[in-house]
Amino acid sequence: MSKHLLFLLLTLSTSFFAQVKFEKGYLIKNNDERSHVLIKNEDWLKNPTQITFKATEDGAQQTAQINEIKEFGIDNFSRYVRFTGKIDVSTDNLQRLTHTSEPVWETQTVWLKVLSSGKRNLYSYRDKENDRFFYSDESTPIEQLVYKRYYPGGNTSNAVSNNYYRQQLQTYFAGEEVGNKLRLIPYKEGSLTQFFHAYNELPKQTVSTAEKSKFNLYARPGISIGSADLLFEEGSTANATFESNIGPRFGIELEYVLPFNRNKWSVITEPTFISYKQTGKNSGNTDVSVKFAAIEIPMGFRHYMYLNSSSKLFVDAVFNVANFQVGEGNLQYIVAGTTYQKYFDLSLGLNMGFGLGYNFKDKFMIQARQYTRKELTTNYVFETGYYNFSLIFGYNIL
């Protein structure tokens, strides 16, 4: 099993770090010089503070800072413009809300992401905790739309909102036939973008490239190559190493694809049935056997790496948060030099798994996953370890 694990970890690291994708885009420098370049598309969850680009496919990688670039964009994907001005740095974390409705202004220089552009422009800025939205048009420079949650009078059981952004929008769109649409519009990227987009009469496909969350449900049958060992202490005649065998495994995986970073990240959970049964000889050359069946509940994260519009590689890591034994699980062995048989009920420990796979059209997948050692006798002073390498096939039934 250690060879499987080493191979998988090396493959995972190679695949993960090899995926550096430069896409066609442009830069506008401080002197208004526009250059067509290839920009490393990291689909930033938070607004970037620097970017990496190349002048040509074979060119050297270069780094550009905010103070050098007033605007940049990746073709058919995203566009950022530089802004220097007041940004509300109030936290939106419920544990640390302030007690007043007034924004906490700081003057900063940042790149704002363009969500919608035309007669009226909408921008976004995201830092560690907050989403802020900004507005501009031909007569109005870029200005933040103000929204702030706070605890009035320090009452931490009652968070209220300063929704001044609605008044701002009513003023900006005064005279337009959109008033009713602005009275209750949420301070959310999707809602604001949809409104601006409709006003600017832009086709749907040119709206902000923010992705949508998505659920997938995969049936995941496969095989498990398992082995086990029994260890009392060094030199004990009861020590044993069980040979590998192949057994079935079956899981149902629920995947929640996160709505950022081009849907490259997801959260997964997969209740999985596994079983193992093997007999052998211990160091004292007497019979020893182990068997168990269980349903594991792993949870973890997955990262996708796109090959083209239909295909993608992925790596994932899961932690088995619970085990439920199915039927009897036990360990038995004959004490060396006697006919006396010892019998132990199994109690399963928790472990982790690391996987590498291929997904086609979000419908079919194949994956290899190596699990770390699972302790089978957690209630005893001796150790019984189970090792598992799985080959898994998946079909999206949603």
Side-chain angles (χ1 to χ4, degrees), residues 118-129:
K119 293 178 290 183
R120 309 292 172 96
N121 305 308
L122 179 69
Y123 314 86
S124 70
Y125 176 72
R126 174 177 291 173
D127 59 17
K128 293 180 180 179
E129 295 183 335

Side-chain angles (χ1 to χ4, degrees), residues 224-239:
S224 291
I225 304 173
S227 66
D229 57 28
L230 170 61
L231 179 63
F232 282 83
E233 58 185 22
E234 188 174 351
S236 171
T237 56
N239 292 345

Side-chain angles (χ1 to χ4, degrees), residues 110-263:
V110 299
W111 277 320
L112 298 179
K113 184 176 183 180
V114 180
L115 299 180
S116 187
S117 62
K119 293 178 290 183
R120 309 292 172 96
N121 305 308
L122 179 69
Y123 314 86
S124 70
Y125 176 72
R126 174 177 291 173
D127 59 17
K128 293 180 180 179
E129 295 183 335
N130 305 313
D131 286 314
R132 304 295 189 212
F133 300 101
F134 296 75
Y135 168 90
S136 76
D137 61 25
E138 291 181 353
S139 60
T140 306
I142 295 176
E143 180 179 353
Q144 182 180 323
L145 297 172
V146 175
Y147 168 82
K148 178 184 176 181
R149 289 197 295 176
Y150 65 100
Y151 291 127
N155 181 4
T156 58
S157 64
N158 180 34
V160 299
S161 300
N162 173 355
N163 295 316
Y164 182 63
Y165 71 95
R166 291 175 182 161
Q167 182 177 333
Q168 291 174 284
L169 291 174
Q170 292 279 358
T171 301
Y172 296 144
F173 286 88
E176 306 282 357
E177 297 180 359
V178 295
N180 291 333
K181 297 179 181 180
L182 295 172
R183 287 174 185 166
L184 295 175
I185 190 169
Y187 197 76
K188 299 292 184 182
E189 180 175 322
S191 300
L192 290 169
T193 302
Q194 183 179 8
F195 170 79
F196 273 79
H197 212 62
Y199 181 86
N200 288 323
E201 299 179 344
L202 298 176
K204 288 185 177 181
Q205 61 265 31
T206 64
V207 182
S208 164
T209 54
E211 286 75 18
K212 296 181 179 179
S213 58
K214 177 185 177 183
F215 283 98
N216 294 313
L217 184 65
Y218 287 93
R220 305 227 314 163
I223 59 173
S224 291
I225 304 173
S227 66
D229 57 28
L230 170 61
L231 179 63
F232 282 83
E233 58 185 22
E234 188 174 351
S236 171
T237 56
N239 292 345
T241 298
F242 295 92
E243 294 184 359
S244 299
N245 72 359
I246 298 177
R249 62 91 68 196
F250 185 80
I252 294 291
E253 179 188 271
L254 179 63
E255 177 184 36
Y256 174 64
V257 181
L258 298 172
F260 58 81
N261 199 221
R262 301 183 73 182
N263 296 137

Side-chain angles (χ1 to χ4, degrees), residues 1-9 227 370-371 387 389:
M1 287 300 125
S2 60
K3 291 181 179 179
H4 288 138
L5 181 59
L6 178 60
F7 171 77
L8 190 56
L9 290 177
S227 66
Q370 174 69 59
Y371 291 87
Y387 307 86
F389 179 83

Side-chain angles (χ1 to χ4, degrees), residues 298-358:
M299 298 185 68
F301 293 92
R302 176 170 293 152
H303 177 70
Y304 287 103
M305 295 163 284
Y306 291 95
L307 301 176
N308 52 51
S309 60
S310 300
S311 301
K312 51 191 174 182
L313 298 175
F314 63 87
V315 295
D316 60 29
V318 295
F319 179 73
N320 283 321
V321 298
N323 299 293
F324 300 95
Q325 287 188 229
V326 177
E328 294 184 358
N330 59 68
L331 169 71
Q332 301 180 51
Y333 71 91
I334 304 295
V335 177
T338 73
T339 59
Y340 178 65
Q341 178 172 278
K342 284 198 170 186
Y343 179 98
F344 302 92
D345 290 323
L346 299 186
S347 52
L348 308 185
L350 305 178
N351 64 335
M352 299 181 65
F354 302 92
L356 169 67
Y358 170 77

Side-chain angles (χ1 to χ4, degrees), residues 85-96:
K86 295 191 302 181
I87 296 178
D88 178 16
V89 295
S90 306
T91 180
D92 200 43
N93 186 323
L94 287 174
Q95 304 297 321
R96 297 187 287 110

Side-chain angles (χ1 to χ4, degrees), residues 52-69:
T52 303
F53 69 96
K54 298 191 296 185
T56 63
E57 285 282 1
D58 300 325
Q61 294 187 26
Q62 304 177 59
T63 300
Q65 309 292 336
I66 290 178
N67 61 352
E68 302 173 275
I69 303 298

